[in-house]
Amino acid sequence: MSKRDAYTITASRSDGWWALTISGPGLKRSYHTQVKRLEQAEEMARDLVATMLDVDVSEIDAGFELTVADDEVATELEATLVTRLAATLVKQKAAEATQATVADLARRGYVHRDIGYLLGMSHQAVGKLLNEAERETAASADDAGTRSQALSSLKDRLAMTHDTEALFKSYLLDAAEGDPMDLKLDRLRALGERLRHRRRRKLTDA
């Protein structure tokens, strides 16, 4: 089965349950099932597709795109997810730019209080960022063998969100061209998870 195959899950509320309608490649018609919570929808849909295609569930290498049957809710979800992602990207880029600028100003001889005044932050926050930068610089210097490479790694932090930002812009263009709502919501959730994974990875690395 092609990795590009995608199945659509349409969910609607029904007496405290979620009624699911699954359709997609290889299925002769749409099939119905139900789950108690939406987080169970993909697993249930995957099992159903495997049963209908008479294959082991491990052979189902495809995407499952979920949306809700209520168009108003789906539109509201899309608008909210877009806003949250945009805010997350801006916050992340601001944090990375701030740390890089603080490190650069300190390297130029600026004292903590002057850096804080220029950036509108406390000198304690400046000190914390510089301590983090020094730890990263030391670790990078040990790995690379030169301090110049370590210093450049700090500036590389400014580019860390570029790939996610490009995907987000791509999503907005696709949305403008009228992609199906299930695909829109699936892409937005995937982008949100990518950002959350990146933050978890940073905390683990620290």
Side-chain angles (χ1 to χ4, degrees), residues 138-155:
S140 299
D142 289 340
D143 293 338
T146 66
R147 191 167 182 82
S148 61
Q149 288 175 320
L151 190 57
S152 68
S153 72
L154 291 175
K155 295 182 179 180

Side-chain angles (χ1 to χ4, degrees), residues 4-204:
R4 290 176 292 180
D5 284 344
Y7 292 88
T8 299
I9 306 171
T10 303
S12 57
R13 292 293 292 167
S14 177
D15 296 328
W17 289 74
W18 285 98
L20 308 179
T21 302
I22 295 96
S23 59
L27 300 180
K28 296 180 180 180
R29 60 177 177 83
S30 297
Y31 289 88
H32 305 279
T33 186
Q34 63 180 7
V35 292
K36 194 66 175 177
R37 299 186 303 276
L38 282 179
E39 63 189 30
Q40 303 166 329
E42 181 174 336
E43 182 180 359
M44 180 66 75
R46 191 178 297 275
D47 287 340
L48 185 147
V49 170
T51 299
M52 294 301 103
L53 298 184
D54 194 23
V55 299
D56 189 271
V57 68
S58 63
E59 297 180 44
I60 305 299
D61 191 6
F64 288 81
E65 298 158 0
L66 184 145
T67 189
V68 292
D70 189 322
D71 289 340
E72 289 187 5
V73 172
T75 300
E76 183 178 356
L77 285 171
E78 181 193 14
T80 300
L81 287 170
V82 166
T83 301
R84 290 177 61 190
L85 275 171
T88 299
L89 282 169
V90 169
K91 183 177 180 180
Q92 186 170 331
K93 288 173 70 66
E96 292 167 356
T98 299
Q99 186 170 32
T101 300
V102 165
D104 184 59
L105 292 178
R107 181 177 61 83
R108 295 171 183 270
Y110 288 56
V111 298
H112 291 195
R113 290 187 180 276
D114 288 342
I115 295 173
Y117 178 81
L118 290 171
L119 290 175
M121 56 196 299
S122 70
H123 67 90
Q124 292 93 337
V126 170
K128 182 179 179 181
L129 287 177
L130 287 174
N131 287 335
E132 293 174 358
E134 287 174 3
R135 286 198 300 269
E136 293 175 6
T137 300
S140 299
D142 289 340
D143 293 338
T146 66
R147 191 167 182 82
S148 61
Q149 288 175 320
L151 190 57
S152 68
S153 72
L154 291 175
K155 295 182 179 180
D156 287 342
R157 292 176 61 85
L158 289 173
M160 286 185 66
T161 57
H162 285 183
D163 56 344
T164 305
E165 186 177 24
L167 286 173
F168 186 53
K169 289 179 179 178
S170 174
Y171 162 78
L172 293 177
L173 290 174
D174 289 339
E177 294 173 2
D179 263 1
M181 183 61 74
D182 55 354
L183 183 57
K184 292 179 183 179
L185 296 178
D186 186 67
R187 286 179 177 174
L188 284 168
R189 283 190 291 266
L191 286 172
E193 179 58 29
R194 184 169 184 170
L195 288 173
R196 286 190 294 274
H197 174 72
R198 176 171 290 164
R199 288 198 296 272
R200 288 196 298 268
R201 186 178 61 194
K202 284 182 179 179
L203 290 174
T204 301

